[in-house]
Amino acid sequence: MRLSNRLSTIQSIAEHAHKQYNYDYIWDTCCDHGQLGAGLLKNGISSKLFFVDIVPELMASLEQNLNQFFPNQKHQWRVLCEDVSCLPLNGVENPSGKHLIIIAGVGGDLMLEFITQLNQQFPDLSLDFLLCPVHHQFSLRSQLRKMEFSLRHEEVLEDNQRFYEVLLVTSDSTNQLPLISVAGETFWQYKTVSEQKVLERYLSKTIEHYKRMQKGNSKLADSALVAYESVKIEKASLQFTSK
């Protein structure tokens, strides 16, 4: 099955990041039908892969499909019917190994709950998160910055007339990476005219959204507008790209 632009972008970033950071474990959470994780298996990623969702029927069907299509890789994948906030990170062979936790398809507020609870449960682990929230991007970014999360990569994409941010962040405090910015930084730099047009549409839509929120005396909207109205879209050469 062909992946959407959103899922194929997340997959590409995950594969590129794995080449750089050599993750021992990848957790495809809120995985639904498991298309993203299946794409990683198909492309031969070497990490142990966990498919995680809270819907029993989905997980039972997914396990059947994985047994059918990836029988020779059964040692590499596992299906878990589990809440994301309860991932058994300490139940793997090497708990102190490198973990990449992918969370997509839910709002930034729920993502933040998951991330906060996992950080509290596993304070000694340095965790990387690959995030693609469907909304509440600004509040998610703001809280991740307060939690001193660093940015590895960020990207804006358009899929089915909707815009998405994809963020690769880490709780590793030993790196020399910058803290995540509240309105984004590197993804406002483009390489092609088509990328420039996407960014211009996204910025315009985002500013209009917070202007509407501001009419309800939203302090969050005030802060967001200050941040987004200072954004400059510029041509630049990115060091990390999933394209």
Side-chain angles (χ1 to χ4, degrees), residues 7 10 25-40 48-53 59 62 78-80 82 84 87 100-104 130:
L7 288 181
I10 297 171
Y25 307 101
I26 295 180
W27 304 78
D28 179 15
T29 73
C30 305
C31 69
D32 198 39
H33 296 286
Q35 291 175 287
L36 174 59
L40 294 172
K48 176 86 173 186
L49 193 61
F50 295 87
F51 294 81
V52 184
D53 205 295
M59 295 297 92
L62 174 58
R78 184 179 173 191
V79 174
L80 297 175
E82 191 69 79
V84 181
L87 295 182
L100 174 64
I101 301 170
I102 303 174
I103 313 176
L130 181 52

Side-chain angles (χ1 to χ4, degrees), residues 136-146 149 151 154 165 167 179-185 187-188 202 206 210 220 223-228 230-231:
H136 298 156
Q137 291 88 343
F138 181 79
S139 56
L140 172 64
R141 284 176 165 274
S142 299
Q143 291 303 314
L144 288 177
R145 183 176 178 86
K146 290 180 180 179
F149 268 74
L151 179 73
E154 61 183 358
E165 294 183 17
L167 314 170
L179 292 180
I180 185 172
S181 59
V182 294
E185 187 170 351
F187 65 42
W188 298 115
Y202 179 56
T206 301
Y210 284 108
L220 175 67
S223 300
L225 281 172
V226 169
Y228 286 112
S230 67
V231 163

Side-chain angles (χ1 to χ4, degrees), residues 79-108:
V79 174
L80 297 175
C81 186
E82 191 69 79
D83 188 285
V84 181
S85 62
C86 300
L87 295 182
L89 302 184
N90 58 353
V92 297
E93 294 179 4
N94 178 23
S96 60
K98 295 181 180 180
H99 297 262
L100 174 64
I101 301 170
I102 303 174
I103 313 176
V106 298

Side-chain angles (χ1 to χ4, degrees), residues 8-222:
S8 63
T9 298
I10 297 171
Q11 178 183 328
S12 182
I13 293 173
E15 291 172 346
H16 194 133
H18 176 59
K19 290 178 182 178
Q20 285 191 302
Y21 307 115
N22 194 28
Y23 297 113
D24 298 288
Y25 307 101
I26 295 180
W27 304 78
D28 179 15
T29 73
C30 305
C31 69
D32 198 39
H33 296 286
Q35 291 175 287
L36 174 59
L40 294 172
L41 284 174
K42 184 178 179 180
N43 284 1
I45 202 160
S46 61
S47 306
K48 176 86 173 186
L49 193 61
F50 295 87
F51 294 81
V52 184
D53 205 295
I54 202 169
V55 183
E57 296 80 8
L58 276 177
M59 295 297 92
S61 176
L62 174 58
E63 188 159 21
Q64 288 182 344
N65 290 335
L66 291 173
N67 276 317
Q68 178 181 352
F69 292 106
F70 301 99
N72 297 326
Q73 295 168 263
K74 291 184 69 171
H75 65 285
Q76 192 182 348
W77 57 262
R78 184 179 173 191
V79 174
L80 297 175
C81 186
E82 191 69 79
D83 188 285
V84 181
S85 62
C86 300
L87 295 182
L89 302 184
N90 58 353
V92 297
E93 294 179 4
N94 178 23
S96 60
K98 295 181 180 180
H99 297 262
L100 174 64
I101 301 170
I102 303 174
I103 313 176
V106 298
D109 49 353
L110 184 56
M111 283 185 181
L112 186 62
E113 288 183 26
F114 293 151
I115 294 168
T116 300
Q117 291 182 49
L118 289 172
N119 268 0
Q120 289 174 348
Q121 292 176 58
F122 307 102
D124 297 327
L125 294 182
S126 294
L127 304 176
D128 280 15
F129 291 88
L130 181 52
L131 309 172
C132 184
V134 295
H135 46 62
H136 298 156
Q137 291 88 343
F138 181 79
S139 56
L140 172 64
R141 284 176 165 274
S142 299
Q143 291 303 314
L144 288 177
R145 183 176 178 86
K146 290 180 180 179
M147 294 166 66
E148 298 187 343
F149 268 74
S150 300
L151 179 73
R152 294 198 187 279
H153 178 66
E154 61 183 358
E155 201 164 313
V156 169
L157 65 97
E158 190 173 12
D159 185 21
N160 197 24
Q161 299 183 325
R162 291 193 63 176
F163 294 98
Y164 298 92
E165 294 183 17
V166 186
L167 314 170
L168 178 61
V169 300
T170 181
S171 65
D172 183 1
S173 60
T174 65
N175 66 72
Q176 301 299 315
L177 296 169
L179 292 180
I180 185 172
S181 59
V182 294
E185 187 170 351
T186 60
F187 65 42
W188 298 115
Q189 301 166 359
Y190 62 90
K191 284 186 174 180
T192 67
V193 173
S194 61
E195 290 177 359
Q196 179 185 10
K197 297 299 183 184
V198 168
L199 292 175
E200 288 173 347
R201 292 196 299 273
Y202 179 56
L203 181 59
S204 175
K205 183 176 180 178
T206 301
I207 289 174
E208 289 304 313
H209 166 72
Y210 284 108
K211 282 184 175 178
R212 290 193 297 271
M213 280 187 61
Q214 196 178 37
K215 294 178 181 179
N217 297 319
S218 167
K219 292 183 178 180
L220 175 67
D222 292 340

